[in-house]
Structure formats: structure tokens, C-alpha cells
Amino acid sequence: MTTLLVAAGTAAAMSALGGWCGGGDGDHADGHAYAKAPAAVAMAPAAPNVSAAANHVTIAGFAFAPSTLTVSRGTTVTWTNDDSAPHTVTSSASGPLHSSTLHRGDTYSYTFNSTGTFSYYCVIHPDMHGTVVVK
């Protein structure tokens, strides 16, 4: 078993472990309170291909992540735009995905009630592509 040990005060490493934001008394100008980092964090490695957000696609860096998502029939998938640029989630050909323009922080959700492979792209940035495989 592999264990990862991170020393306190290593903000970059803590960020990778879950978004800890260091500094001060834990209160920030954005109105959110963040927990202080523990002296050390031990974590077991995640199981391969297992994600806590198995039905979520993040839009960041002008890309959909994951670029291919596999879900079961009846699953609702949610896309969140984390980019400063606007994006869309739009089916290739005549598929069911047709979001409005998503600005930073906006989400779009769709429930896949039939099996198949659903390709999509961003109308504003046509080089951005993604796929949802429904089994």
C-alpha cells in the first residue's frame, strides 16, 4: 500500500489534496472559511478509475474533463464551467445536448435515459469535444 505524507504549510500539495487554502485565521475576503491544514495528512491511493464525481464533467483550460465519461442509463450528468471564457455543451449531429451559454460557475445537467454514445462540443470553441457513453 502506498501512503502519501504531506507536511503542513505546503499549500500546493494541500491544494492537490482537496483545495485547502492556507493563511491567516481561515477566513477569507471571498466570504468562505477554510480549515487550517493538519500537521500531516496520510492518504491511501484512490482506486483506479473510481471518481467521487462519476457523473460530473468540468470545463477548464478550454477542455472537457473527463473527455469521455461512461455512465449507466438514467444517470444525470452535470457540466460545470470553471473557465473564465464562456462555453456550451452541444450535441454533435442531432443529439439531445443543447445548453445555453455557460459562464464561469454556470452548470448544465442532462439525464441520459437511453443507451448509446453521445458526442458533444462547444459551439463557441469547436475544437473542444467530449463524449458520454451510456450503458
Side-chain angles (χ1 to χ4, degrees):
M1 178 160 125
T2 305
T3 301
L4 173 64
L5 184 63
V6 178
T10 308
M14 290 305 293
S15 178
L17 291 174
W20 174 77
C21 179
D25 61 1
D27 293 323
H28 294 271
D30 65 2
H32 292 90
Y34 298 91
K36 290 189 179 282
V41 177
M43 294 183 62
N49 299 322
V50 174
S51 171
N55 61 342
H56 186 262
V57 177
T58 299
I59 306 169
F62 290 85
F64 296 106
S67 60
T68 300
L69 179 66
T70 302
V71 298
S72 299
R73 188 170 55 106
T75 299
T76 299
V77 176
T78 300
W79 288 261
T80 300
N81 184 3
D82 285 344
D83 260 345
S84 58
H87 297 290
T88 70
V89 176
T90 306
S91 286
S92 303
S94 61
L97 303 173
H98 300 288
S99 76
S100 60
T101 299
L102 303 175
H103 297 279
R104 182 178 205 124
D106 289 348
T107 62
Y108 169 72
S109 296
Y110 181 82
T111 301
F112 290 90
N113 290 316
S114 58
T115 59
T117 299
F118 301 86
S119 298
Y120 61 92
Y121 71 105
C122 173
V123 170
I124 302 165
H125 308 98
D127 290 339
M128 293 175 57
H129 295 272
T131 305
V132 176
V133 178
V134 183
K135 294 184 175 190

